[in-house]
Amino acid sequence: MIEAVGLSVPASSRWRRRRKARSWVGRWAVTLSFLAPGPAAFALQPLIVRTPRARVVSGVELTRVTTLRPPQGERAFVLPSAVVRDQRGAFYVLDWISPNPVWVFDAAGKPLRRIPREQALMNRTIVRALAVAAPDTLYVLSGGSVIFDGAGRVVRSQDIAPDASIFAFLVFPNGELVLQGIIATAEGFGYPLHTIGVQGESASFGAGKNEAFDGHPTRVMGSLAHAGGNRFWANAIREYRVSLWTSRGELQRVIDRRADWFEPWTGWDGRFDVAPPPPRLISTWQDRAGRLITLTSVAARGWAPVAGRDHAREAPPPTAAEFERANDSVIEVIDPKQGTVVATQRIRAALIAIVSDSLAVGVSSDTAKSVGVDVWKFRLVPPKAR
């Protein structure tokens, strides 16, 4: 199973048994569900407000502003899988296959430093996710969390839980963690969301246990986004459904987006070399105006299989070029209060994350030695200006 934020994909059953990272990574309608707050909010019947047709008033214009690459003489990126940005504008890039899994760049794209694998992993096997806290503290998640200060020094490390498979996480200003994934404890197993307080206290929530995990890791793979205070947005990659929670487990709102280009799905073998990949909701972001920005990865127009590949044979590790050729991206801006999609845009680029109110990042590759992370600036524009 490949376990990284931007490119989280499930492995086939055969790959899961072998435990190798071998898999790869028009109806405008929005449904808003409002639930009374409370730890057991998932058990209540929601009041659903339906909008039969969203009012799309804008498009999204994207301009590439820079490309992040390690400096000459250093090992090139293999396949960047996650990017986060701190309050100073510095970028942190996770390259899940590389011996140097984390690179740090300044706001202009200049390489600052790298965090070697042995330092980031702390004797674990794979870096799964990144998060930042004010102003420049980096959290690296593998089997536990390793915390680095602004100079790249380890502040502390801590275990999360035995056999935890965490695919995304957030850090609140008080140091509390929100995790998305599987925690194999009697209290936590079966729930997709978990909080860990600064004193180590924990809670798990997200849905009833019978609903939360149906045997497919895609139920607990997705993204998290800050929503102000102790609130956050959470979603699974396999459906266009985003839920607003508090860190106390109170469900406050659900956005259920209906689009003819996003058919919900359950199982997927994670490969995009032999069949078009399904749509995957891989990143969300709440901007200063309270709007929700979403990023969905979809099969590229004109998708074609990789020559010589078939389902009967195991896939080799993916390349950045193969990932880029197989995927397009859709950025949308949603007004949660009005229940409308105010902007939508499809782009021929393999984006992997929204990192600010106006910046997105994606994988690009001219050759195997020039893999980079493109930084795109976006803004809303009237449809006639697109």
Side-chain angles (χ1 to χ4, degrees), residues 279-293:
R280 289 141 288 146
L281 182 56
I282 59 174
S283 183
T284 58
W285 183 275
Q286 180 175 297
D287 68 12
R288 285 185 290 268
R291 298 172 301 192
L292 184 64
I293 305 170

Side-chain angles (χ1 to χ4, degrees), residues 169-239:
F169 74 120
L170 290 177
V171 184
F172 285 109
N174 66 354
E176 184 178 26
L177 299 180
V178 175
L179 314 172
Q180 183 181 48
I182 301 170
I183 291 184
T185 64
E187 298 79 15
F189 186 78
Y191 292 102
L193 301 173
H194 317 270
T195 59
I196 298 180
V198 293
Q199 303 300 323
E201 66 278 17
S202 63
S204 298
F205 54 93
K209 283 198 172 188
N210 292 332
E211 301 175 59
F213 187 61
D214 55 11
H216 295 280
T218 53
R219 176 61 183 87
V220 292
M221 298 167 65
S223 67
L224 302 170
H226 287 285
N230 70 336
R231 303 188 306 165
F232 64 95
W233 295 99
N235 70 275
I237 63 171
R238 69 188 193 182
E239 59 184 349

Side-chain angles (χ1 to χ4, degrees), residues 353-364:
I354 305 293
V355 296
S356 80
D357 286 13
S358 61
L359 293 176
V361 293
V363 175
S364 65

